[in-house]
């Protein structure tokens, strides 16, 4: 392991070595949620595209009311979707519906609540004084045709998809998902569906990481498990380095006699950009970035360490590769106690409740049970005590 660097230094080193994915693909609107846009979405026509009636009621010429007219016979009814009719005089009105086109010749909509209708005649309530132009959403008042409405790089969520659908962008071009190879290592590990021997445990990292990556659509995951064998590791890594956009290894990265991840990667890619961060958990994390090779994240094998390092470094890195912003982080008030050396940073599992983080520190990073019901990690400087934690806004990194 090298000299420990800080959490912020590790983040900066990772950020400076990531390239945005250059492949794109067109996806249907039903598949587009959560994907990162690689085109600008423009208005295909002015919005709204016509003078849009905003209230169910009657449309009149405002000057008629100004001149004292209160009774209007209903010349026509215009529903939403009808081609517009025309008001030709000051004595009649057109019955209109929300979403319809404002009838030609009208400049005022009076809601149905302000009129009474009897024998095809609408009477405006005494004392009600409508304004010229009221309840009319003017053509082009939201945007002109051709304007950019959603910028490239935006993560598509329901608001952006409202715009895409409205502008007829039915197959937005988005960043292709990176191919992520997830390699877990360890002779003690068996698949979740197997019955472990007394000296074995079931492996869980790939399941956990897949869940976060799939939920946020951060990549296509392929998964392998390897024994603690340097030759096997070398063969698998050589192949994965050729076919992947990013590699994640879990376990085998600390100081044990059978921890082969760092030496084998060093042989293939040279020295890591860092190996060891002043953080708890996750101290032995390492990162490689070599020219013409995908970046490699080697996460320490303890389950809490894997998830803490993934939340803090891996998921933001994947967002950055996809073209999104990796820098936005919520800073929130925090409660609880934690145990971390003062010169370290704690990456502490926490619950997010009513805009406040409640720390749920594990008894050790191999104890994954207390992560149940938590939402991510709080990044807490180890020098903080319980008392001054209360005046501190803590950065929150969700599980995904
Ligand atoms: N002498 C030292 N020993 C250790 C150090 C150190 O600095 N010096 N660091 C400790 C820390 S901190 C951590 S974290 C672990 C990380 O070690 P490795 O990355 O080599 O991880 P392993 O030893 O392979 O595994 C640790 C632990 O996690 C379990 N594990 C691993 N993979 C999985 C999986 N896919 N699913 C479930 N559980 C998994 C594994 O069985 C071990 O119990 O090293 C400390 N030691
Ligand atoms: O710091 Mo290690 O990642 O706790 O178990």
């Amino acid at each position: 392991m090298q000299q420990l660097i800080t959490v912020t230094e590790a983040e900066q080193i990772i950020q400076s070595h990531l390239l945005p994915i250059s492949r794109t693909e067109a996806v249907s609107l039903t598949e587009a949620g959560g994907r990162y846009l690689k085109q600008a979405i423009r208005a295909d026509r002015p919005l709204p595209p016509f003078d849009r009636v905003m209230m169910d009621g009657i449309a009149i010429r405002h000057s008629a009311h100004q001149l004292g007219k209160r009774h209007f016979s209903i010349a026509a009814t215009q529903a939403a979707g009808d081609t517009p009719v025309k008001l030709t005089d000051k004595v009649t009105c057109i019955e209109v519906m929300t979403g319809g086109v404002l009838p030609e010749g009208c400049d005022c909509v009076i809601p149905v609540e302000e009129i009474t209708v009897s024998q095809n005649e609408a009477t405006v309530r005494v004392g009600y004084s409508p304004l010229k132009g009221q309840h009319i959403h003017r053509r082009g008042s939201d945007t002109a045709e051709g304007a950019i409405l959603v910028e490239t790089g935006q993560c598509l969520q329901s608001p952006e998809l409202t715009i895409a659908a409205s502008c007829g962008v039915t197959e937005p071009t988005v960043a292709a998902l990176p191919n992520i190879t997830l390699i877990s290592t360890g002779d003690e590990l068996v698949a979740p569906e197997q019955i472990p021997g007394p000296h074995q445990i079931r492996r869980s990292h790939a399941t956990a990481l897949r869940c976060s990556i799939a939920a946020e659509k951060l990549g296509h995951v392929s998964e392998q498990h390897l024994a603690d064998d340097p030759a096997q590791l070398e063969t698998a890594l050589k192949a994965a380095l050729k076919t992947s956009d990013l590699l994640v290894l879990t376990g085998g990265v600390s100081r044990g006699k059978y921890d082969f991840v760092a030496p084998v990667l060093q042989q293939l890619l040279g020295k890591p950009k860092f190996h060891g961060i002043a953080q708890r958990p996750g101290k032995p994390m390492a990162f490689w970035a070599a020219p013409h090779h995908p970046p490699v994240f080697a996460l320490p094998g303890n389950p809490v360490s894997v998830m803490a390092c993934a939340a803090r470094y891996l998921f933001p890195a994947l967002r950055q590769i996809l073209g999104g912003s990796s820098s936005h982080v919520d800073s929130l008030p925090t409660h609880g106690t934690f145990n971390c050396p003062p010169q370290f940073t704690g990456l502490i599992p926490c619950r997010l409740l009513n805009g406040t983080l409640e720390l749920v520190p594990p008894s050790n990073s191999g104890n994954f049970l207390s992560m149940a019901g938590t939402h991510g990690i709080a990044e807490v400087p180890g020098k903080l005590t319980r008392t001054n934690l209360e005046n501190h806004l803590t950065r929150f990194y969700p599980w995904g």
Side-chain angles (χ1 to χ4, degrees):
M1 222 176 291
Q2 302 170 344
Q3 204 188 338
L4 300 184
I5 59 171
T6 66
V7 166
T8 309
E9 285 165 344
E11 175 184 52
Q12 284 165 353
I13 292 170
I14 293 170
Q15 282 177 354
S16 68
H17 286 94
L18 299 177
L19 293 174
I21 194 150
S22 53
R23 301 189 305 277
T24 61
E25 60 187 349
V27 289
S28 71
L29 286 180
T30 45
E31 295 293 316
R35 303 295 298 271
Y36 286 83
L37 197 56
K38 283 287 178 184
Q39 66 167 97
I41 297 181
R42 291 176 181 272
D44 64 331
R45 51 187 190 149
L47 284 177
F50 48 81
D51 288 340
R52 185 180 73 92
V53 171
M54 291 166 67
M55 288 281 194
D56 303 311
I58 55 168
I60 61 164
R61 203 167 291 171
H62 183 255
S63 56
H65 190 277
Q66 286 287 85
L67 293 170
K69 185 154 180 57
R70 299 292 180 267
H71 307 282
F72 298 88
S73 65
I74 299 171
T77 298
Q78 198 191 297
D82 285 352
T83 49
V85 297
K86 188 169 180 178
L87 185 74
T88 48
D89 54 55
K90 288 190 176 180
V91 293
T92 62
C93 67
I94 312 286
E95 202 174 24
V96 288
M97 311 297 149
T98 305
V101 182
L102 182 73
E104 215 181 300
C106 298
D107 57 6
C108 177
V109 172
I110 301 178
V112 77
E113 293 84 341
E114 306 296 347
I115 58 170
T116 49
V117 178
S118 167
Q119 295 183 334
N120 207 42
E121 184 176 74
T123 301
V124 179
R125 181 172 65 76
V126 177
Y128 180 70
S129 37
L131 299 174
K132 188 173 178 183
Q134 73 175 23
H135 305 312
I136 300 165
H137 191 183
R138 286 289 177 195
R139 176 178 197 266
S141 60
D142 295 352
T143 188
E145 181 180 334
I148 292 180
L149 306 181
V150 187
E151 300 275 358
T152 185
Q154 176 72 44
C155 181
L156 293 171
Q157 301 293 352
S158 8
E160 295 77 26
L161 290 177
T162 302
I163 295 170
S166 302
C167 294
V169 180
T170 54
E171 292 201 329
T173 301
V174 298
L177 296 182
N179 293 317
I180 303 169
T181 301
L182 215 61
I183 299 178
S184 58
T185 58
D187 289 349
E188 74 281 27
L189 302 165
V190 299
E193 58 276 15
Q194 285 179 272
I195 307 287
H199 54 293
Q200 294 175 318
I201 60 165
R202 294 190 181 93
R203 53 183 183 261
S204 57
H205 298 342
T207 305
L209 293 174
R210 253 182 199 285
C211 168
S212 293
I213 290 169
E216 246 199 281
K217 297 191 184 169
L218 293 175
H220 291 301
V221 173
S222 64
E223 184 185 325
Q224 311 178 31
H225 178 72
L226 303 178
D228 290 319
D229 171 46
Q232 205 188 108
L233 190 57
E234 184 180 335
T235 309
L237 281 172
K238 275 184 179 163
L241 285 167
K242 283 194 194 124
T243 55
S244 321
D245 296 304
L246 186 139
L247 266 67
V248 182
L249 289 96
T250 61
V253 78
S254 63
R255 306 288 291 273
K257 205 168 167 184
Y258 305 107
D259 288 337
F260 297 119
V261 166
V264 172
L265 275 166
Q266 180 144 339
Q267 200 181 305
L268 295 174
L269 297 178
K271 278 184 141 187
K273 295 298 171 195
F274 62 78
H275 188 181
I277 309 172
Q279 62 184 15
R280 179 171 285 174
K283 183 183 85 171
M285 178 178 162
F287 174 73
W288 277 263
H292 316 300
H293 287 292
V296 181
F297 291 72
L299 311 184
N302 275 316
V304 185
S305 314
V306 166
M307 285 312 294
C309 291
R312 182 62 184 84
Y313 306 106
L314 176 63
F315 305 148
L318 290 169
R319 286 181 212 115
Q320 183 181 333
I321 288 171
L322 286 164
S325 157
S326 59
S327 55
H328 174 78
V329 179
D330 290 320
S331 291
L332 298 165
T334 307
H335 302 289
T337 49
F338 66 104
N339 186 16
C340 181
Q343 68 281 18
F344 273 46
T345 299
L347 303 180
I348 315 293
C350 61
R351 273 192 279 270
L352 173 60
L353 295 171
N354 303 323
T356 300
L357 302 177
E358 184 193 316
L359 301 179
V360 187
S363 57
N364 69 73
S365 60
N367 179 349
F368 45 85
L369 301 182
S370 58
M371 280 199 293
T374 60
H375 301 111
I377 52 150
E379 181 180 318
V380 200
K383 61 179 186 299
L384 287 188
T385 62
R386 184 181 188 141
T387 337
N388 57 23
L389 179 64
E390 296 196 343
N391 303 318
H392 176 80
L393 291 180
T394 304
R395 287 152 73 91
F396 171 66
Y397 294 86
W399 295 140

